[in-house]
Amino acid sequence: MGKSTKYEAKVPDENGIIPYTDEEHSVWRDLYARQIEVIRGRVCQEFHDGLDILDLPHDRIPQPKEVSEVLRERTGWEVAPVPALINFDKFFKLLSEKKFPAASFIRTRESMDYLQEPDIFHEIFGHTTMLTHQAFADFTHAYGLAGVKASKKERVFLARLYWFTVEFGLIQNGSQLSIYGGGIASSPGETVYSLESDEPIRRPFDPIDALRTPYRIDIYQTVYYVLDRMDDLFELANTDLLALIRKARALGEFEPTYPPKNKEAA
Ligand SMILES: [Fe+2]
């Protein structure tokens, strides 16, 4: 959630249908065609299963309404179309109601490779896919409930937990390292980098560590947290997340592993 965006929300009509142009549908088609190839063998089985369950269209932007129908039956979730930028109050409230806030616009052709704001491709392809999985869905719900109760300062910590799981989580299945985070799975460059580059640090997932780790939203991640089993998120969903935040705050933040923003070019 940045401070400004050139993109405008697409508003559903009285039947809950969002009107998209042919050009916008063709952007989805090209994003989908590229990303479905890149993720093959790189995302976890649960993600592949989610794509099978959702059966997203290849050649047009799916309507939140139709994705909601599948999710509702599977895990009780639905997709709530929102403007590109929403505040934390609204974000947490929607998650606490099992409504996934999805930016409704799609990027322009100039931004096929990189976009800082989340667009509908990121939301639907990257996120709703994993919301078909019960442990993941339960964790996201618990996260929303904790966020509603959290103070402004606690939310800074809570945002990191989301970042290092829902957005940028990796998972180890036996000898196979794979992706479940939607921020990675919707980005062709980071899909490859997160698994195959020697640059980032990959640490076993520990919620307290994740809460203590600062991040930047405008570069590939320098740290990834690796989950053992998706069901570990079940456990986390049943933990007092605000108590974990108190512990993390008492221990303090880790030093950033990325360069300060203004010195990057040096
Ligand atoms: Fe996201």
Side-chain angles (χ1 to χ4, degrees):
M1 280 181 268
K3 286 198 170 60
S4 66
T5 178
K6 66 171 180 166
Y7 291 103
E8 279 179 27
K10 289 271 186 179
V11 183
D13 65 17
E14 66 276 11
N15 300 314
I17 302 294
I18 300 174
Y20 292 107
T21 64
D22 288 348
E23 168 58 18
E24 287 168 328
H25 285 306
S26 81
V27 168
W28 171 279
R29 185 192 64 218
D30 293 351
L31 286 169
Y32 186 96
R34 176 173 64 173
Q35 197 58 11
I36 204 77
E37 290 301 320
V38 177
I39 62 165
R40 190 164 294 149
R42 292 191 171 99
V43 292
C44 63
Q45 190 55 48
E46 292 85 349
F47 196 100
H48 282 300
D49 293 346
L51 281 177
D52 285 347
I53 292 164
L54 290 181
D55 194 20
L56 298 171
H58 302 187
D59 56 351
R60 64 170 175 87
I61 302 171
Q63 290 290 331
K65 206 177 159 183
E66 57 190 321
V67 178
S68 293
E69 277 166 25
V70 182
L71 286 182
R72 217 176 279 128
E73 197 178 315
R74 201 85 196 177
T75 57
W77 275 73
E78 58 187 82
V79 180
V82 296
L85 307 167
I86 59 169
N87 64 32
F88 270 128
D89 279 341
K90 189 160 185 204
F91 177 72
F92 286 121
K93 183 166 188 301
L94 285 168
L95 292 183
S96 75
E97 295 166 347
K98 299 189 188 174
K99 292 177 182 157
F100 191 78
S104 52
F105 73 93
I106 194 156
R107 70 194 73 183
T108 57
R109 286 209 169 264
E110 295 74 60
S111 303
M112 291 296 270
D113 290 335
Y114 180 75
L115 187 68
Q116 198 161 301
E117 306 100 307
D119 73 343
I120 191 123
F121 183 74
H122 167 82
E123 311 281 30
I124 301 288
F125 188 95
H127 286 310
T128 62
T129 308
M130 284 304 299
L131 282 170
T132 58
H133 189 274
Q134 198 64 56
F136 187 90
D138 287 351
F139 167 66
T140 312
H141 184 219
Y143 179 84
L145 292 171
V148 167
K149 285 188 260 165
S151 68
K152 211 172 165 188
K153 278 190 177 158
E154 287 168 334
R155 285 176 174 181
V156 173
F157 281 77
L158 210 46
R160 294 177 182 154
L161 190 59
Y162 191 87
W163 191 259
F164 290 112
T165 55
V166 175
E167 293 289 359
F168 291 95
L170 297 179
I171 184 164
Q172 187 80 45
N173 281 326
S175 62
Q176 180 79 29
L177 182 65
S178 56
I179 296 159
Y180 72 93
I184 309 177
S186 58
S187 155
E190 195 149 359
T191 295
V192 177
Y193 166 90
S194 66
L195 296 180
E196 291 160 38
S197 170
D198 293 334
E199 285 174 34
I201 302 161
R202 299 177 186 88
R203 293 183 192 143
F205 177 72
D206 175 285
I208 301 269
D209 285 351
L211 288 164
R212 298 175 67 195
T213 307
Y215 62 84
R216 271 178 60 177
I217 65 165
D218 57 335
I219 53 172
Y220 286 167
Q221 299 306 298
T222 49
V223 178
Y224 295 99
Y225 283 98
V226 183
L227 206 60
D228 265 341
R229 302 169 312 134
M230 203 55 73
D231 281 352
D232 288 352
L233 291 181
F234 258 131
E235 215 173 289
L236 195 55
N238 292 312
T239 308
D240 182 351
L241 294 178
L242 296 184
L244 292 183
I245 290 175
R246 285 193 289 277
K247 271 189 208 163
R249 285 181 75 180
L251 290 165
E253 279 185 10
F254 289 136
E255 283 296 315
T257 52
Y258 47 78
K261 212 167 177 178
N262 53 359
K263 289 189 185 157
E264 201 170 289

